Structures are given as structure tokens and as C-alpha cells.
Amino acid sequence: GLRPPLRCAAAWASSAREGSGSGSGGGGGSSGSMGVKAKPKEEQDPSRIAAFKTKPVAYLCEQNGIARDRYVSKGEGAAVSYLEMMHFNLTRMEGFGHFPALRELCIVAQDIDRIAGLESCKGLQKLWVCETKLTAIAGVSQCEKLKELYLYSNRITRIAGLDGLAELEKLVLFENQIEVVEGLEGLGRLEELHLAANRMAHLPEYAFVGNPTLTRLNLAANRISH
């Protein structure tokens, strides 16, 4: 689908269950600790302890149900691969570089007007920045492993800033203010392109010359003359 996966609710529910302990269960066995070896506490990473003290990282952890002990641990904390920010009045993208294993990032319905802070997110594969004040595509060219980019329901006027995304397979730009199909030359692996509900009046013959693998194209709700 084109909509974000919304995983935080599941993460919070899981965290709540873990926090409640096993003693509240029914008659399925002993709820005590007899015979059960306590899990050793994971070693903490000093750099992650320092990062957690910064407002952006602490806020990201709070909104994603990531407890401090989990984030600062050398093992589990460094393995966080998914973050989402929904309806929290975020005004700037920052703090994401402190999650080196990040593979999916979902930002929806925020007050941000530009993509930033992804320089260290080299392994990012899926990115949603939707329903924001974004007017241009920028700040993603360093995410060379990106396969899916969702930028729908913004204020984007041009297709540009996609240099370096040679592995991109899906680009979703519906409900923007785009007038011309351009800037796709370097997307040799692009398979899906969604441009519905923009402001295009014609389609250039050369529009998809650099996209030999494109098999799904959505141009609905434009003003293209045939």
C-alpha cells in the first residue's frame, strides 16, 4: 500500500505487556522467579547515554515507545530500525542520525518545511514525509539505499533532488503542485510512479526515457490533454 504502516501502537502495547510482568497471569504455572535465570543487563553505550540527554533523541524515543534503558544499550539500542512521528507538531527533522540501523522512517502531518538530518541514515530503505509544508524535494540524495519514497499531500512544485537514488523502486508524489514530469533520469530501477492529483497539463515524450523498468504509472486527476 501507499499509506504508512503505523507500528508505534503495537510497540507501546508490547512495552506495556512487558512492563506488567508475568505475575498477573492465570493458572498456567508459577509466576515466581524460581528456576529462572535473570537476564543479564546489557552494557550501556556512553555515546548513546549522551545522545538520550538531547531533546530530539529523547522525544523520538518517547513517541516511539523506546525506553531509555533500551536505547542506551549497546545491543538493542543500536538495532532500532523503524521510527514514526505522527501529528506531534514537529517543526524540524533532527536526531535521526543517532539511530544508525534505521531502515524505515515515517513522518506524517507535521509542520516541517524541508527534509533534513538524514546524512547518517545510510541504510534507510523506506521514507514517508507526507501531509507537511514541504515545497521541494531535497535532503535525500545521501540515502543511496532508498527503495521507496513517499512524499504525497505536500506542496512540492518540481520533481528534483533525486540524484543518487539509483536503487529507488517506488516514488509517490500524489496531491502536490507538480506541473511537469522531469528529474527522473537517474532512476533506472523505478517500477512505480504515482503522480495523481497534481497540476500537469501535458506529458513529454521523453519523460520516462531513463526508466526502463517502470511498470505502474498513476496520472489520474491531472489536466493532461490527449
Side-chain angles (χ1 to χ4, degrees):
L2 304 181
R3 301 295 177 180
L6 300 177
R7 299 175 185 172
C8 281
W12 291 331
S14 176
S15 178
R17 286 195 299 271
E18 292 172 1
S20 65
S22 58
S24 60
S30 173
S31 61
S33 59
M34 185 178 296
V36 179
K37 184 181 291 186
K39 183 179 179 181
K41 190 173 183 179
E42 288 197 47
E43 185 179 356
Q44 296 187 342
D45 185 333
S47 66
R48 300 183 73 76
I49 294 175
F52 192 84
K53 292 179 180 179
T54 65
K55 186 175 180 180
V57 172
Y59 191 58
L60 286 171
C61 288
E62 177 187 355
Q63 299 300 337
N64 283 272
I66 302 171
R68 178 191 179 280
D69 287 347
R70 177 187 173 195
Y71 175 78
V72 302
S73 67
K74 282 190 174 182
E76 192 175 5
V80 175
S81 61
Y82 177 86
L83 291 174
E84 70 183 38
M85 296 296 286
M86 306 263 182
H87 308 282
F88 295 131
N89 296 319
L90 190 71
T91 57
R92 290 187 298 176
M93 290 180 60
E94 53 186 348
F96 301 109
H98 292 285
F99 297 85
L102 199 60
R103 296 293 179 270
E104 300 182 30
L105 174 59
C106 183
I107 299 174
V108 175
Q110 305 289 356
D111 290 333
I112 62 172
D113 58 10
R114 67 189 184 96
I115 297 174
L118 301 181
E119 293 79 9
S120 300
C121 301
K122 303 296 185 181
L124 196 64
Q125 296 179 0
K126 296 182 181 181
L127 174 63
W128 286 261
V129 183
C130 311
E131 300 175 33
T132 72
K133 298 177 180 179
L134 203 66
T135 59
I137 304 173
V140 296
S141 59
Q142 68 276 11
C143 302
E144 298 179 352
K145 294 186 178 180
L146 203 62
K147 293 184 179 297
E148 300 182 12
L149 179 58
Y150 302 83
L151 300 174
Y152 58 79
S153 300
N154 290 303
R155 305 173 185 177
I156 297 169
T157 58
R158 291 188 58 201
I159 304 175
L162 300 173
D163 300 334
L165 304 185
E167 296 189 19
L168 194 68
E169 299 174 355
K170 180 187 289 189
L171 179 60
V172 181
L173 291 166
F174 64 76
E175 294 179 0
N176 277 286
Q177 300 172 15
I178 298 167
E179 297 182 358
V180 179
V181 178
E182 59 184 344
L184 303 174
E185 297 81 8
L187 307 182
R189 296 188 181 181
L190 191 66
E191 298 176 1
E192 290 189 37
L193 177 61
H194 298 265
L195 288 168
N198 275 279
R199 298 180 178 179
M200 291 175 288
H202 71 283
L203 193 62
E205 294 182 7
Y206 56 83
F208 310 111
V209 170
N211 316 113
T213 59
L214 186 64
T215 55
R216 186 175 181 185
L217 175 64
N218 186 352
L219 295 170
N222 279 283
R223 298 172 293 181
I224 299 175
S225 58
H226 297 282

